[in-house]
């Protein structure tokens, strides 16, 4: 199997997944979208209403804002892979529960392993917590960190900026820093994971 086929096999499993109760209320699971050899991967939180309807990530209001942010810094959405920490919509868009994140984790782990993106942009605190569970997003957003050859770039979630307009300029500045990183004009800091990170299979 090539990378594209391996990724499609994961997505086929996700679409049929019944491992947690979220499957019962979903219209469609949302595995993710984008090329199997993407250099950049964006990881959001969970599908919302429109994503659940269409089976595609970031197609609602937050997705439109994400498109704007990408366009502003010259990143083509067709060239990036976009997914979420959990693949099914939580009822009333509530936050993902720890056990849902845990149950869904192997799918995200496999997507990262197959795609092997150079840069992983985490959108929001649930996504950031996967790599940096002890950090606060208000402290680390916009700061790329290299871990085992991969660069993690934490950012606020675009939906947060829709509710809190003061975050718009923060997100836009962080996207400009992402551009700098891609152009080689920003160096990531080298991050040494805490000793228990491997045990927790964070990286
Ligand atoms: N918010 C997310 O975190 N993911 C989506 O796919 C849409 C909105």
């Amino acid at each position: 199997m090539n990378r594209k086929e391996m990724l499609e096999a994961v997505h086929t499993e996700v679409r049929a997944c019944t491992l947690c109760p979220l499957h019962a209320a979903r219209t469609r699971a949302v595995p993710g979208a984008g090329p199997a050899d993407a250099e950049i991967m964006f990881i959001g939180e969970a599908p919302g209403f429109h994503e659940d309807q269409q089976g595609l990530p970031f197609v609602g209001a937050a997705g439109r804002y994400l498109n704007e942010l990408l366009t502003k810094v010259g990143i083509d959405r067709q060239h990036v892979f976009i997914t979420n920490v959990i693949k099914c919509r939580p009822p009333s868009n509530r936050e993902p529960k720890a056990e849902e994140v845990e149950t869904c984790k192997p799918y995200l782990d496999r997507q990262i392993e197959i795609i092997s993106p150079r840069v992983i942009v985490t959108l929001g605190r649930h996504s950031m917590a996967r790599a940096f569970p002890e950090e606060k997003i208000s402290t680390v957003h916009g700061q790329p960190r290299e871990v085992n050859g991969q660069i993690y770039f934490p950012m606020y979630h675009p939906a947060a900026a829709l509710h809190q307009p003061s975050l718009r300029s923060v997100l836009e500045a962080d996207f400009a820093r992402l551009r700098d990183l891609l152009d080689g004009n920003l160096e990531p800091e080298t991050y040494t994971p805490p000793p228990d990170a491997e045990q927790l299979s964070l990286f």
Side-chain angles (χ1 to χ4, degrees), residues 70-102:
L70 290 168
T71 304
K72 265 197 183 156
V73 296
I75 298 175
D76 186 343
R77 179 165 170 157
Q78 302 300 319
H79 293 162
V80 302
F81 189 85
I82 305 181
T83 188
N84 286 300
V85 173
I86 62 169
K87 315 300 192 199
C88 294
R89 183 190 181 207
S92 316
N93 297 341
R94 65 152 169 76
E95 295 196 10
K97 293 182 181 172
E99 59 267 31
E100 292 160 356
V101 172
E102 199 49 40

Side-chain angles (χ1 to χ4, degrees), residues 44-48 51 57-58 62 84 157:
E45 184 174 309
E51 290 77 21
F58 282 94
N84 286 300
H157 196 291

